Amino acid sequence: MGVITEEARRWANREYPRFEMQVTATDIAKFAHATGETNPIHFDREAATAAGYPDVVAPTLFPYVVRMHASALVPPEELEADGSPSADVPPLTTRRAMAGETSVVFGEPILAGDLITVEKRLAQMYEKEGRSGPLVFVEMEFTFTNQRGELVARESFTRLYR
Amino acid sequence: MSALPEVGAEAPARTRTPSALDLFMFSASAWLLHRIHYDTPFTTEHDGHPGLLIHGPLQGVYLVQTAESWLGEGARLRSISYRHLAPAYLGDSLECGGTVTGADADGVEVELWARKTDGTVTTTGKARFEKR
């Protein structure tokens, strides 16, 4: 008998609403500064157009910012004690969470002014015995598209609960 | 356009030592609310960590930046997978490096890693870059 209960399995069979993020040059500049980017294409429209982009371009891993907003831009009462969005936390006794594995395939770049839609689904949930007890792996899949319906990125992300 | 590096070529190592401010900015810019990146009492007392954690996704960014700054404008990241093997905490320095493990007419496969000064690898990744 593992730690993934029937209740958790029922929880896993759910759908998440689509989420849209209107990406601004400010959003891009914040993430670029937070990650130490210095290339002016992330901050300055003229530099971006000189480099062949129609507008300020987001750093490569910016889809992460979109999917975090999709999960966590909720009223504070919809957050767990550790700050995680409740809707993302399976009903398990193992609740201490950490990032596991991430795989991303990139399509079109994200530009200032884009309206990015993210669709999210739980791909799988499974458990393994770790050194300090059971580990539960929750794998989410995200598909990001822009306002023209072009694929921006596809991501699979696994979170661990111990 | 400059040619991409050959199999076996190594990226110049970049060492990253994020401060508490860097961790907070990353959380804030992504609207990542998980307390283990900014609330020290919660992180140590509730979750039993020795200190604030350096975000896994921030280490993912470090891997991407290591490769992008090495390969330059002539290459574009097509795909990446990375895994976190050990936690990294505020105060840790992460040496980030990479090496080309495969090459074809369109691009290169690169292995990437971040490791602490004691040699512990915290994050490893594989990426494919293609010529623009």
Side-chain angles (χ1 to χ4, degrees), chain A residues 27 30-31 33-37 39 41 53 60-61 64-65 67-69 72-74 79-84 96-109 155 159 162, chain B residues 14 16 22 25-26 28-36 38 42 46-49 53 55-58 60-62 64-65 68 73 76-84 86-87 132:
Chain A
D27 296 323
K30 282 181 181 172
F31 184 69
H33 280 312
T35 53
E37 295 282 358
N39 191 332
I41 63 172
Y53 296 100
T60 311
L61 287 180
Y64 170 73
V65 174
R67 77 161 166 81
M68 282 314 303
H69 281 78
L73 195 60
V74 295
L79 300 172
E80 299 292 292
D82 72 352
S84 301
R96 287 169 302 175
M98 284 174 56
E101 180 160 3
T102 303
S103 296
V104 196
V105 177
F106 299 95
E108 295 299 313
E155 175 172 0
R159 209 170 186 222
R162 63 181 174 88
Chain B
R14 290 180 75 182
R16 314 292 291 257
D22 293 322
M25 282 196 295
F26 187 77
S29 70
W31 201 254
L32 168 64
L33 308 179
H34 200 182
R35 284 182 193 263
I36 62 172
Y38 58 86
F42 178 91
H46 180 273
D47 273 19
H49 289 290
L53 282 105
H55 317 69
L58 178 56
V61 170
Y62 290 165
V64 168
Q65 289 176 338
E68 285 182 339
E73 296 287 326
R76 172 162 190 262
L77 182 61
R78 290 297 302 173
S79 61
I80 186 168
S81 293
Y82 55 88
R83 275 181 353 124
H84 308 296
R132 280 190 199 272

Side-chain angles (χ1 to χ4, degrees), chain A residues 28-157:
Chain A
I28 291 172
K30 282 181 181 172
F31 184 69
H33 280 312
T35 53
E37 295 282 358
T38 54
N39 191 332
I41 63 172
H42 305 307
F43 305 98
D44 178 41
R45 193 165 191 274
E46 275 183 32
T49 52
Y53 296 100
D55 209 322
V56 170
V57 59
T60 311
L61 287 180
F62 192 86
Y64 170 73
V65 174
V66 179
R67 77 161 166 81
M68 282 314 303
H69 281 78
S71 297
L73 195 60
V74 295
E77 58 270 21
E78 294 177 24
L79 300 172
E80 299 292 292
D82 72 352
S84 301
S86 301
D88 278 1
V89 178
L92 297 168
T93 50
T94 47
R95 315 249 344 186
R96 287 169 302 175
M98 284 174 56
E101 180 160 3
T102 303
S103 296
V104 196
V105 177
F106 299 95
E108 295 299 313
I110 295 178
L111 303 167
D114 277 357
L115 182 67
I116 303 297
T117 299
V118 54
E119 289 170 277
K120 169 177 173 179
R121 71 179 194 93
L122 191 145
Q124 55 173 339
M125 179 165 66
Y126 55 95
E127 63 186 287
K128 287 183 183 175
E129 198 56 32
R131 263 177 305 174
S132 58
L135 285 170
V136 177
F137 296 75
V138 178
E139 182 188 340
M140 298 277 192
E141 274 184 9
F142 303 87
T143 303
F144 305 83
T145 48
N146 65 20
Q147 66 277 15
R148 289 178 296 279
E150 297 162 334
L151 181 72
V152 165
R154 234 186 260 290
E155 175 172 0
S156 146
F157 171 66

Side-chain angles (χ1 to χ4, degrees), chain B residues 9-11 13-14 59 62-63 66 83 85 94-101 110-116 119-126:
Chain B
E10 291 185 7
R14 290 180 75 182
Q59 296 181 53
Y62 290 165
L63 298 192
T66 299
R83 275 181 353 124
L85 306 177
L94 298 174
E95 186 187 60
C96 302
T99 184
V100 174
T101 55
V110 182
E111 268 184 24
L112 299 160
W113 60 84
R115 69 174 164 236
K116 300 200 276 192
T120 307
V121 175
T122 60
T123 302
T124 63
K126 281 182 192 246

